[in-house]
Each structure stands twice: as C-alpha cells, then as structure tokens.
Amino acid sequence: MVKIIRPFEDVNKQTTLVIRTGWLVCLAVIWISASLFGTTHLFPSISQVSEGFSTLWNEGLVVHVGSSLSLCFKAVLIAVVISLVFCYLSPLPLLKPLAGALSKFRYLPFAGISYYLGIVILDARLLQVWVLVVFMSTFFITSILEVIEEIPDEEFDHAKTLGCTRWEVLWEIVINGRFDYVIESIRQNLAIVWMMLITVESILASAGGLGFLIKFSDKSGNQGRVIALQIIILLIGISLDFLLTKTRKIAFRFSKI
Amino acid sequence: MNNYELTKTILCLDNVSAGYDGKTILKNVNLSIKDVVREGMTGTGQITAVVGRSGRGKSTLFKVLTGLINQIKEPVKRYPDHSWRTGRVLISSPIATDTDSAKEVVEGDVGFVDQKYTLFRHKTVNSIMQYAIDKKKNHLSKIDKNKLIEEQLETWGLKDHKDKYPCELSGGQRQRTAIIEQLLTSKHFMVFDEPFSGLDVGNIEKVKDAFNLILNEGEELNTIIFSTHDLKLAVELADLIFVIGYPEGTTEYSTVIQKYDLKALGLAWTKFGQGHLDLMRQIKEVMLKS
C-alpha cells in the first residue's frame, strides 16, 4: 500500500486497475455532488448532459463533426506542406534565418493574424482554413526545426563517409530518415488546431462545426450541451491522437520515438 | 619474428593542425603509415592504434583522417564557429601502381566506424548494403551486387537479420552491419573510433574477429586505424601505435608525442608476452606525462 505513494515504484496490473477505477469513481462523485448539492451547480447533471447529447444528435451532430474535421484536415495538410518546405530547406544557410523567424511568429497574437488575413482573404471558409494554417505552421515549424537540430552529428558524418553529397545527406538523414517525426509533430500540434476550432469556426457560423455548436450552446447557457460537446471534442481528439500514433508505428517500423 | 617489408606510404599527415570554434585542438601533427607486406601473407594487413588520454583530440584526428573536417587556407580566426584544419592529409591506395597516386583526403574516401556504430535508422540491413554498394560499386551488374551482398551477409553472420532495422539489431549485429557498410564503400583504409568502448568481453572478441576479417578482406582495403583507452588491446592488436597528448610545456593543444613501431620492436604478430607488458608500462608513463 505504501508503494503507491512512494516515487518511482513499480506496481502490478491489478493495482494499476484499482488506482484507475478509484480515480474514475472520484470523478463521478465530484460530478454528481457538484450537480446535485448547493444552490448554484458547477456541473450539469448526468441527465442534462445526456439530453445535450440527444439534442446535438438530432441537430445533425455528424454533419458538424464532418465540417470541423474537414476544416482541420485541410488546414493541417496545407500547414504541413508549407512548414516542411521551410524546414527541409533550413539547412541552406540562405534560408536558415527565414525558418527561424517563422518559428518566432508563434508569439504573434491570434487577433492580429486573423485581422491581416481578413483583409487579404474575402471568402470566409478560406479565411478559416488560412487562419489555422498560419497559426499551426508556426508551431509545426518550431517542432520540425527542433527535430532537425537534435539529429546527432554522427548521423551526418556517417552519410558523408559513405560518399553522400550534401543533398543526399539532406534527403537520407533529414527528410527520409525523420519522416516518422513529421507524423509525431502533427500529432502533437493537432491539439493546438483542435483547440483553435472554437475561435476559428465562429468566423463563419453558416459552415457549422463543433466550435460553432459550443459557442452557440455557451451563449444560450445550455450547460448540458456544453459538457456533451466537450466530451465529443475530447473523444475525437483522443481518437485522432491514437490513429496518428498507430499510423506512425505501422508505417515506420523503425520508429521508436 | 615475421619478415616484412614496408612499401608505399598509404597515409601521410603533413604538418596538420585542427580545431573547433577558433580553438586549436591538434597542432603540427606529422605521421605516416606505410603499407606492410608480410612474408607468406596474401593480404598486406596492418593495424595502427591511436592512444591518448581523454580530451587530447583523438576523435578530432579521426575526423581529419576521414576528410570530415575540411582544409582551410585562410587564417583560422576567420572561421570562429566552425571546425577547421590546415596542413595536408594525403592518402594513397596500396595497390595503385602510379607512385604519384597520393591525393588529398575528402569525405567518402576513408571508411569510418564511430563508437555508436551509427547506421541509417530508416533502412534495413539489406537496404543499407544495397545503398552502400550503389554508392561505390555502381559499375557492377545488379546480379553481381546482390551476390556480393549475400556473400558479405553470410561471412559476417547477418543473413538471418537482413530485413531488420538498426533498432531491431543487437549491439554486435549493429556493429558488424556498420563495418560491412564501410567495407563496401571504402577504398583506402578503415578508421574505428573507440570500437571497444563499453563492450563486454564477448563483444570485444567479436570486434577482434571483425578486424581479422577486414585484414583478409582483399588487396586494397586491409588497413585499420583505431583509437582506444585500453592499452592492452592496443599493444596486443596493433603493429604501430601513436600516442596523442599535450607536448611538454603546454596544455593548449595536442600532437603526436610518441610513436611505437611494434614491428621493429619484434612485438607485432606475436603472442602477448612480457615485451608487450613492458611496452604497455612505457606507453602509460608517456600518457600520464601528457
């Protein structure tokens, strides 16, 4: 028993199961207590949340999920392509400062980015995509640049001793040899895009999406719907995370990140 | 004692200095290694050891030998953030008939196996071999290339592991893959940076076996230069030993402070004995002073 409160102790599977079940029970108790007792309720009751689920389903939840996923995938795809071009060319002394500067743009406020993009892009759906693209690219470039930076010198030296040209070194070590890291970076940065959905989807309400739904539910003070939507968003996020990890492990057997 | 003959020079460092970030690590290094022809031996086969205390520039010397540090002609202070090297590093193939065949070393000329046995992480053993052979032996037909790969995999006991990635190999298998890869691409000699570092007795024996295989590999590539902290292994395996360290009166840079020719001393290619132990003691004393 003492083991579970001592750092770096190994516990068996049964104990792990008991610990996890215990935490789930705690969560349920906190939720039920917070939704039942007192005059103001911190959380909606379970019945309110399940009602939220059923109204969302009847309002075409699947279509909204599809809209959000489509927006997310488009943005991720464009952001990844743009970022990889800058990152893969960053070993060129001429372009190195550019990639570094783009990475620093992640400190720019979201409102400023969307303001300028709003001037340039008139189509609202396209604006949604590009706001996410710009936002994600800065984080994605930062991740990939770090991956390149952390490649041990020995790997570059190894390729050079085999007689590889500098372009071959770039291809074999940075591009081909680290493609699994691209998938991993997408996985890590997807959470940022997913988090930005609410803000971005409010730009064009007619396109719908999970972000629009949550904002709408928030305005109408429907707590049950808000929590139901949070659960849906969380589950989709976790599923995407799982899928990307599985894809990386299946597609790149050598990947031991 | 074996009869031997020193023939042409296969490596010559002429007044080489090298360093990083504007700092001099090696200064005025002069050394040469000649091809050794032994009576009754088909392969020429020589092993040179480089010993020295930590931080005395052994790895820098090896990067210089393999052409990984480029030669500069301008004053060093103009390259404050890069590795640099002055002086000449000349290599020559032992089988070249042209006496003027010596050339300045460039990356890719010399095989280099680092102590981590670095490999392409995204290639299987077979594709590593394929890539290496395509790099340097592209004149061969596809059938001949595959035959050569099969032969090497068989010789080095890697046939059953050819579809594995480096992360799926054991330390010993990884080591052998790194050696074959360099054997397939190198034309002059092979450099091993601390190949015995961190290995257990079993794996040390495997590296020794690998050295023997390289020595009998062929006419052209059968010279090994390795660095080690293990003086017993250096004296046991090498026929020529260079000691790298600080010259008397300075700790600013290192250079070759002593050379031991075990062939001339009658200690090369003989069973480890008292002579080897005495030499070990001598080298130890020299190293401690440097």
Side-chain angles (χ1 to χ4, degrees):
Chain A
M1 192 65 187
V2 183
K3 279 174 86 175
I4 64 168
I5 51 164
R6 199 160 49 205
F8 308 115
E9 280 292 341
D10 288 328
V11 286
N12 59 31
K13 277 185 180 172
Q14 204 185 344
T15 313
T16 309
L17 187 70
V18 171
I19 293 170
R20 286 183 181 173
T21 313
W23 281 114
L24 281 175
V25 170
C26 281
L27 182 71
V29 168
I30 292 168
W31 185 355
I32 292 164
S33 329
S35 63
L36 286 181
F37 306 110
T39 47
T40 52
H41 298 150
L42 185 60
F43 295 120
S45 65
I46 292 172
S47 63
Q48 281 174 307
V49 174
S50 51
E51 198 187 313
F53 272 120
S54 84
T55 52
L56 283 167
W57 182 262
N58 293 333
E59 285 171 23
L61 177 68
V62 178
V63 178
H64 288 287
V65 170
S67 171
S68 292
L69 284 176
S70 140
L71 173 64
C72 186
F73 289 152
K74 268 185 208 163
V76 167
L77 191 69
I78 300 170
V80 166
V81 171
I82 293 172
S83 308
L84 288 181
V85 169
F86 282 108
C87 291
Y88 287 159
L89 293 177
S90 69
L92 273 68
L94 179 72
L95 295 179
K96 194 172 185 169
L98 195 61
L102 287 172
S103 155
K104 298 286 181 290
F105 280 3
R106 68 190 186 278
Y107 293 109
L108 282 176
F110 175 77
I113 293 173
S114 54
Y115 170 75
Y116 277 100
L117 285 173
I119 295 170
V120 182
I121 302 166
L122 299 174
D123 179 70
R125 186 63 171 173
L126 201 60
L127 179 62
Q128 283 184 324
V129 173
W130 279 95
V131 167
L132 280 178
V133 167
V134 172
F135 198 77
M136 190 192 177
S137 297
T138 59
F139 285 92
F140 197 69
I141 287 173
T142 308
S143 304
I144 297 293
L145 284 180
E146 262 172 38
V147 168
I148 297 172
E149 196 71 25
E150 281 168 17
I151 298 175
D153 284 346
E154 288 93 347
E155 287 195 40
F156 293 110
D157 287 347
H158 163 250
K160 287 177 194 170
T161 55
L162 292 177
C164 292
T165 65
R166 295 302 161 97
W167 289 103
E168 283 171 334
V169 172
L170 178 70
W171 172 253
E172 291 297 343
I173 306 294
V174 178
I175 302 175
N176 225 352
R178 290 291 184 284
F179 206 76
D180 52 327
Y181 279 87
V182 174
I183 310 277
E184 180 60 13
S185 294
I186 293 173
R187 187 187 71 80
Q188 286 172 7
N189 290 295
L190 198 66
I192 299 166
V193 177
W194 210 229
M195 213 172 66
M196 290 299 297
L197 271 178
I198 301 163
T199 323
V200 170
E201 283 183 334
S202 64
I203 295 171
L204 180 65
S206 64
L210 292 168
F212 162 74
L213 281 181
I214 206 167
K215 202 171 172 77
F216 176 73
S217 308
D218 188 24
K219 270 186 183 167
S220 58
N222 192 333
Q223 252 192 319
R225 273 171 65 111
V226 172
I227 295 294
L229 273 165
Q230 294 275 30
I231 292 169
I232 292 164
I233 290 171
L234 181 69
L235 289 178
I236 295 172
I238 291 170
S239 307
L240 289 173
D241 195 285
F242 174 79
L243 274 176
L244 284 167
T245 305
K246 270 277 169 222
T247 308
R248 178 176 58 77
K249 285 184 177 168
I250 293 167
F252 306 100
R253 209 176 84 207
F254 59 85
S255 185
K256 304 276 181 203
I257 302 170
Chain B
M1 184 171 57
N2 284 301
N3 288 326
Y4 67 95
E5 187 191 348
L6 295 177
T7 57
K8 68 185 293 187
T9 303
I10 52 172
L11 169 71
C12 174
L13 268 71
D14 178 22
N15 211 24
V16 168
S17 296
Y20 296 93
D21 304 330
K23 187 176 179 265
T24 302
I25 292 171
L26 294 173
K27 196 171 176 181
N28 303 335
V29 175
N30 291 291
L31 64 86
S32 69
I33 298 175
K34 284 180 180 287
D35 196 26
V36 181
V37 180
R38 288 160 64 187
E39 202 177 83
M41 296 283 287
T42 44
T44 45
Q46 52 268 320
I47 301 180
T48 299
V50 177
V51 296
R53 295 175 67 185
S54 297
R56 299 300 193 267
K58 292 191 296 295
S59 295
T60 305
L61 175 69
F62 279 13
K63 284 196 170 189
V64 166
L65 292 183
T66 48
L68 290 169
I69 300 182
N70 292 327
Q71 185 186 29
I72 57 160
K73 289 192 173 90
E74 294 173 66
V76 172
K77 60 184 176 185
R78 292 179 69 172
Y79 295 88
D81 302 322
H82 296 93
S83 53
W84 55 270
R85 186 256 292 182
T86 57
R88 293 191 307 163
V89 180
L90 298 170
I91 54 167
S92 170
S93 165
I95 59 162
T97 47
D98 181 5
T99 47
D100 296 324
S101 64
K103 62 177 275 261
E104 183 71 38
V105 70
V106 291
E107 53 193 35
D109 279 337
V110 176
F112 181 46
V113 180
D114 65 47
Q115 56 177 299
K116 290 182 192 164
Y117 297 101
T118 307
L119 294 164
F120 288 124
R121 63 189 287 274
H122 61 292
K123 291 186 193 291
T124 60
V125 172
N126 198 54
S127 50
I128 284 170
M129 300 299 131
Q130 202 75 51
Y131 188 79
I133 214 163
D134 284 343
K135 280 259 128 230
K136 290 283 169 74
K137 293 183 170 65
N138 219 10
H139 57 280
L140 297 177
S141 69
K142 202 175 175 190
I143 297 167
D144 288 341
K145 283 179 187 173
N146 287 337
K147 201 178 154 201
L148 184 57
I149 291 173
E150 286 297 317
E151 276 171 16
Q152 291 287 355
L153 291 172
E154 182 81 54
T155 309
W156 293 82
L158 287 166
K159 210 174 176 184
D160 297 336
H161 309 284
K162 64 178 186 177
D163 295 321
K164 287 183 180 173
Y165 286 100
C167 63
E168 297 167 334
L169 298 172
S170 71
Q173 290 159 354
R174 207 184 153 95
Q175 191 181 73
R176 280 174 275 156
T177 309
I179 293 170
I180 314 177
E181 185 190 35
Q182 296 293 341
L183 276 176
L184 291 171
T185 55
S186 310
K187 282 183 178 166
H188 293 83
F189 48 88
M190 279 185 72
V191 173
F192 289 78
D193 192 7
E194 298 191 22
F196 303 103
S197 167
L199 298 186
D200 64 21
V201 281
N203 280 320
I204 286 175
E205 287 307 312
K206 281 180 185 165
V207 178
K208 283 189 198 174
D209 292 343
F211 277 16
N212 281 326
L213 273 170
I214 295 169
L215 293 180
N216 296 308
E217 179 61 25
E219 284 185 314
E220 195 171 19
L221 188 103
N222 47 23
T223 296
I224 293 167
I225 302 174
F226 74 101
S227 66
T228 183
H229 286 288
D230 190 325
L231 292 182
K232 185 173 180 287
L233 279 171
V235 170
E236 185 187 340
L237 296 173
D239 50 73
L240 184 64
I241 296 174
F242 290 103
V243 184
I244 301 272
Y246 298 139
E248 216 174 316
T250 183
T251 54
E252 294 291 306
Y253 59 85
S254 298
T255 192
V256 173
I257 50 168
Q258 194 66 262
K259 172 186 161 184
Y260 296 94
D261 187 345
L262 280 81
K263 300 180 287 295
L265 293 169
L267 297 172
W269 319 305
T270 58
K271 212 175 162 191
F272 194 87
Q274 190 56 45
H276 295 89
L277 286 171
D278 293 340
L279 182 62
M280 270 173 66
R281 265 193 291 274
Q282 269 187 57
I283 297 173
K284 190 178 168 186
E285 277 170 29
V286 171
M287 280 171 65
L288 286 172
K289 283 180 194 163
S290 68

